[in-house]
Amino acid sequence: MFKDLSTESCKQLLAGNYIGRIGYITKNNSDIIPITYYYDADQHSIISYSGEGFKIDAMRKNESVSFQVDEIESVNQWKSVLLYGTFEELSGSDAKRLLHEFSEGVKKNILKKENASPKFIGDFSSKLSAIGSPVVYRINISGMTGKQRI
């Protein structure tokens, strides 16, 4: 049986996870890739970061994005949230503050889900040391839907 998730259940699924897939437009194609993220409940947005490159360039050119998070127990038992929003590049003190919130939020979720205790962002993301200065960004959520199969 399929069932719609309530808005509150969608938010809980977003808040309880840290890996999702972001969809964005590149020229005449759409791309989808996994990212590590943090759900900022206060701003109802997704926080992440990346190095300069293809994905960031594409989102700068077309800020419309989609984002999906799943919890899959089996083919007959799963939950999924799909949201739509806009890319917003952050800078300065906002970027630093949100990168810190991202790091702390992801570490808490890793502890809950995997009973592991990363101490630094480099313990769960090798990107930071490899990219130099990160591009911190937010997905401002404009719409959200969720489904589950039970």
Side-chain angles (χ1 to χ4, degrees), residues 10-29:
C10 289
K11 290 177 181 180
Q12 288 173 357
L13 190 94
L14 289 171
N17 288 282
Y18 60 94
I19 296 180
R21 287 170 298 288
I22 190 166
Y24 54 93
I25 304 298
T26 58
K27 297 182 183 173
N28 295 326
N29 295 314

Side-chain angles (χ1 to χ4, degrees), residues 21-76:
R21 287 170 298 288
I22 190 166
Y24 54 93
I25 304 298
T26 58
K27 297 182 183 173
N28 295 326
N29 295 314
S30 57
D31 285 340
I32 302 168
I33 61 168
I35 63 168
T36 304
Y37 77 94
Y38 169 68
Y39 174 64
D40 182 347
D42 293 337
Q43 295 296 313
H44 187 52
S45 63
I46 300 297
I47 306 299
S48 191
Y49 75 96
S50 181
E52 292 283 348
F54 192 71
K55 170 180 66 193
I56 294 297
D57 288 344
M59 292 190 296
R60 284 174 175 154
K61 289 176 185 162
N62 185 338
E63 65 184 22
S64 295
V65 299
S66 58
F67 185 75
Q68 183 179 15
V69 175
D70 300 309
E71 285 183 353
I72 301 171
E73 304 269 336
S74 71
V75 71
N76 292 315

Side-chain angles (χ1 to χ4, degrees), residues 53-114:
F54 192 71
K55 170 180 66 193
I56 294 297
D57 288 344
M59 292 190 296
R60 284 174 175 154
K61 289 176 185 162
N62 185 338
E63 65 184 22
S64 295
V65 299
S66 58
F67 185 75
Q68 183 179 15
V69 175
D70 300 309
E71 285 183 353
I72 301 171
E73 304 269 336
S74 71
V75 71
N76 292 315
Q77 188 175 356
W78 52 262
K79 295 178 185 178
S80 182
V81 172
L82 176 63
L83 59 88
Y84 303 95
T86 55
F87 166 81
E88 176 189 5
E89 188 171 342
L90 303 165
S91 61
S93 60
D94 284 341
K96 286 183 180 181
R97 178 180 54 80
L98 288 174
L99 188 58
H100 178 74
E101 284 184 33
F102 163 88
S103 176
E104 293 303 307
V106 171
K107 288 189 288 187
K108 285 179 187 173
N109 278 339
I110 290 172
L111 180 61
K112 280 187 222 169
K113 290 184 89 63
E114 300 175 23

